[in-house]
Amino acid sequence: MSHQEQLLPHDRVLRYEFNERMNHWVAAGSFIYLMLTGLAFWSPWLFWIASALGGAELSRMLHPWIGLVFFVAVCYMFALWSRQMNFDSVDAQWWKSLHYYIQNQDDKMPPAGRYNAGQKLLFWSFFGGAILLLASGVVLWFTESLPWSLRWMRYISVVVHAGTALLLIGNFMIHIYMGVFAERGAFGSVIRGDVSLAFAKRYHPGWYKEIVANSNRPK
Amino acid sequence: MSQATLRIQKISGHAGTVPGEDTQREFTVCKLVDTTTCIGCKACEVACVEWNDMPFSQTTFDNTYQTMPDTRWNYWNLILFNEHEREDGTLQWLMRKHQCMHCAEPGCLEACPADGAIVQYTNGVVDFQQDHCIGCGYCVTGCPFNIPKFNSVTKRMYKCSLCTDRVSQGLEPACIKSCPTGCLHFGSKDDMKFLAEKRAKQLREHFGYENAGVYDPPGVGGTGVIYVLHDATKPELYGGLPSNPTIPLAVKFWKHPLKWLGNIALVGGLIGLFAHYLRFGPKAHDEPDVASKEGD
Ligand code: HEM
Ligand code: SF4
Ligand code: SF4
């Protein structure tokens, strides 16, 4: 973790530094492009998306390259955040209280650290998903160069790629819903980098304590 | 494609119904290849390259009668050669004319995501429309016969068109026209089936090929190219002809149950999230009582 002062003036708390925010948006932007072009190939009813994005040939050409960008961003994300994403005992309790979380009764939730159990699961699903998508995506990329004797790799890849993409798109929808609509202030944290004290205390009390303990500011 | 629409029965990657479906009826056309009278002269290979005006393609020599190992984007029709040693130690030269089978249930079309890149005409011919192809390669995954071939410069897929331009004008395909032994026939599927069965019976009763038979695999709904084989119980001997070809299970799973499960889950998820917002609204951490209750 950084040793930068995280308690900011005006009751604000630094949540994401510039490189964390930048990387988040490289991952998000590439993911959205991959999702849109991928969905165009997934269903004839969505093929028009590819036309809107410059034509299906262009989408076919760019999708794998943007896939590489996405994968690199996810790897950097792993380097930045993986240590804070290990599950601990609070997480076990967190899952048991999930229904309170869903009903917005956050005062009944066990004290999460910088990330709650749901966010950790999201992180690991994206990390594992990115690996599966890269492995199967490379096969789809050069599918016609694969010899006939290795055709089973094509069969596995179409199912794994589409299946993993669906799972990640599902997780992505929940992620957008939480970050943009449900948790006010969360969206600002990946744009400007800070959240309010109330936000930190309410959703990430464990993290809040850490910040206060590490703070150099006179109390 | 505008006038051709009336003569199309299946379209790849197409949302909704097929325009003009069932407005015209045509004979299902079929090529009959009698492998027992093929001499491997490759006249059909040359005729195909000539008629379809394909650029020169270098042959390879492997000390047998094999011209090249596989079909290519600009070489749609290839005689596959096999020197087979029979149980009694004698040798048999097996030649099979290899090209797109024009499956009644084409795996290539099933897999293709691009609207109109693969069509099946009412006469059963499966045709690639390169101007709609996006070069994704899904057809390669869908085809059980290893037929679609990619051109890395144009980034499009190619294969035998069953000389659609000739057939639609009432002519036979170029390969059929060129065959010097008459081992290739062309006509309606029913007629070709009749002729093939007759020839197989002749082979069984008068030539001592007890296992002679016709190859018209039901796993893909039958094909628009059928073979008479000396030994129909071992199609693999004929340049790896699969004994029971079907659209790969993974492709069926991907294009049907997975598609429906995925679509229901995605649409259901969207509705669910919206309903959640209507019921519970946003989380409200900014209320002053909350902030003070959990003070430091
Ligand atoms: C990580 C590197 C990735 C690579 C190399 C890759 C490559 C490919 C390739 C080559 C295809 C075939 C058609 C096309 O080019 O569009 C494809 C399809 C697809 N991709 Fe990716 N991709 C990657 C990541 C992703 C991600 C992150 C998503 C997220 C949603 C995704 C979603 C899809 C979907 C939905 C399809 C269509 C599947 C179908 O038609 O059933 N891909 N991918
Ligand atoms: S490469 Fe094959 S599956 Fe892909 S668009 Fe072209 S014809 Fe269709
Ligand atoms: S042989 Fe292959 S390319 Fe030809 S129609 Fe059948 S699935 Fe399509």
Side-chain angles (χ1 to χ4, degrees):
Chain A
M1 277 301 299
S2 70
H3 302 287
Q4 203 182 332
E5 177 57 59
Q6 283 181 274
L7 276 181
L8 307 175
H10 307 297
D11 284 347
R12 304 297 294 176
V13 184
L14 180 68
R15 186 153 169 83
Y16 293 117
E17 290 170 20
F18 171 71
N19 55 350
E20 292 176 300
R21 280 177 273 155
M22 193 63 204
N23 186 54
H24 174 268
W25 285 108
V26 172
S30 55
F31 184 88
I32 290 169
Y33 180 82
L34 292 164
M35 176 177 73
L36 291 176
T37 51
L39 285 176
F41 298 128
W42 164 253
S43 169
W45 297 92
L46 300 175
F47 196 62
W48 57 269
I49 298 176
S51 313
L53 292 174
E57 286 151 287
L58 185 72
S59 301
R60 170 59 180 89
M61 199 186 89
L62 290 184
H63 180 107
W65 290 104
I66 304 293
L68 295 184
V69 173
F70 173 73
F71 186 75
V72 170
V74 169
C75 287
Y76 186 53
M77 204 175 269
F78 179 85
L80 284 173
W81 294 343
S82 63
R83 265 163 295 126
Q84 301 152 34
M85 294 291 180
N86 290 323
F87 290 102
D88 55 29
S89 55
V90 178
D91 295 320
Q93 286 169 275
W94 196 92
W95 288 121
K96 286 192 197 115
S97 320
L98 185 65
H99 53 288
Y100 293 126
Y101 190 75
I102 291 173
Q103 291 165 17
N104 289 353
Q105 298 173 14
D106 292 83
D107 47 332
K108 297 194 183 130
M109 295 304 291
R114 192 180 185 206
Y115 295 105
N116 68 38
Q119 290 170 310
K120 290 177 183 174
L121 188 65
L122 181 88
F123 172 86
W124 290 113
S125 79
F126 268 93
F127 182 65
I131 293 171
L132 287 177
L133 283 166
L134 180 75
S136 56
V138 168
V139 174
L140 296 186
W141 196 353
F142 304 106
T143 210
E144 72 287 335
S145 346
L146 217 61
W148 184 242
S149 54
L150 294 180
R151 59 190 180 281
W152 56 270
M153 289 178 68
R154 289 199 272 262
Y155 302 152
I156 292 177
S157 296
V158 286
V159 172
V160 167
H161 202 80
T164 313
L166 284 171
L167 270 177
L168 287 202
I169 292 171
N171 288 354
F172 172 78
M173 285 179 349
I174 299 173
H175 179 60
I176 298 289
Y177 176 69
M178 297 305 301
V180 179
F181 299 102
E183 271 187 23
R184 287 186 182 148
F187 191 62
S189 73
V190 280
I191 298 281
R192 290 176 303 275
D194 60 350
V195 293
S196 67
L197 266 185
F199 180 100
K201 278 186 210 163
R202 178 71 184 245
Y203 301 129
H204 303 283
W207 177 60
Y208 176 73
K209 273 197 198 121
E210 242 173 70
I211 292 170
V212 173
N214 293 339
S215 173
N216 304 323
R217 268 205 0 224
K219 305 226 161 78
Chain B
M1 232 177 76
S2 48
Q3 293 133 311
T5 309
L6 290 179
R7 312 172 70 227
I8 284 172
Q9 55 177 340
K10 280 187 196 160
I11 305 180
S12 65
H14 190 68
T17 53
V18 179
E21 198 181 12
D22 293 334
T23 50
Q24 264 193 26
R25 212 175 291 171
E26 281 183 84
F27 285 117
T28 302
V29 296
C30 183
K31 284 194 226 182
L32 164 56
V33 180
D34 182 357
T35 59
T36 66
T37 50
C38 173
I39 55 170
C41 73
K42 301 162 180 43
C44 55
E45 294 183 11
V46 177
C48 177
V49 170
E50 279 281 309
W51 176 261
N52 293 295
D53 204 15
M54 269 162 334
F56 173 75
S57 187
Q58 198 154 25
T59 56
T60 53
F61 183 60
D62 69 351
N63 288 317
T64 74
Y65 279 100
Q66 192 65 62
T67 319
M68 52 179 76
D70 202 354
T71 58
R72 297 174 179 161
W73 76 267
N74 57 356
Y75 212 90
W76 298 342
N77 174 49
L78 183 69
I79 299 294
L80 293 181
F81 171 79
N82 180 20
E83 191 172 74
H84 168 54
E85 193 178 332
R86 284 184 280 206
E87 271 158 27
D88 62 4
T90 57
L91 296 177
Q92 190 182 18
W93 280 2
L94 302 178
M95 312 272 188
R96 178 174 67 88
K97 180 182 183 300
H98 177 60
Q99 79 272 271
C100 171
M101 300 294 281
H102 297 276
C103 311
E105 287 154 22
C108 55
L109 190 148
E110 177 89 2
C112 176
D115 196 352
I118 305 179
V119 296
Q120 186 181 49
Y121 299 117
T122 44
N123 66 4
V125 172
V126 178
D127 200 15
F128 283 20
Q129 309 287 311
Q130 278 79 20
D131 46 346
H132 296 280
C133 172
I134 60 171
C136 65
Y138 284 5
C139 50
V140 177
T141 308
C143 174
F145 295 99
N146 191 17
I147 291 299
K149 294 284 150 39
F150 189 65
N151 177 337
S152 55
V153 176
T154 66
K155 301 256 187 288
R156 282 158 169 80
M157 269 315 158
Y158 300 82
K159 72 160 189 68
C160 159
S161 64
L162 215 147
C163 288
T164 294
D165 46 354
R166 294 175 58 92
V167 171
S168 62
Q169 301 305 316
L171 298 172
E172 59 194 348
C175 53
I176 313 283
K177 177 110 183 151
S178 69
C179 180
T181 69
C183 85
L184 301 183
H185 302 261
F186 181 73
S188 75
K189 176 87 188 241
D190 291 341
D191 287 355
M192 292 305 108
K193 236 357 224 297
F194 178 80
L195 202 59
E197 292 295 353
K198 199 166 130 186
R199 171 64 179 160
K201 187 160 175 270
Q202 194 183 40
L203 287 167
R204 282 192 301 268
E205 292 177 0
H206 302 290
F207 291 85
Y209 292 110
E210 301 123 46
N211 293 328
V214 179
Y215 183 85
D216 181 21
V220 289
T223 48
V225 175
I226 61 176
Y227 294 104
V228 174
L229 306 176
H230 320 76
D231 187 350
T233 62
K234 297 199 188 87
E236 285 87 356
L237 294 178
Y238 297 82
L241 200 56
S243 56
N244 183 24
T246 54
I247 298 178
L249 196 65
V251 172
K252 286 188 196 163
F253 174 71
W254 165 42
K255 289 289 172 172
H256 296 283
L258 187 63
K259 187 127 300 183
W260 288 110
L261 282 175
N263 290 348
I264 291 169
L266 290 184
V267 174
L270 274 179
I271 295 173
L273 290 174
F274 187 63
H276 181 270
Y277 196 76
L278 293 184
R279 171 67 184 79
F280 297 105
K283 292 178 180 291
H285 60 265
D286 287 333
E287 291 158 68
D289 59 326
V290 176
S292 55
K293 199 162 71 191
E294 291 173 20
D296 25 330

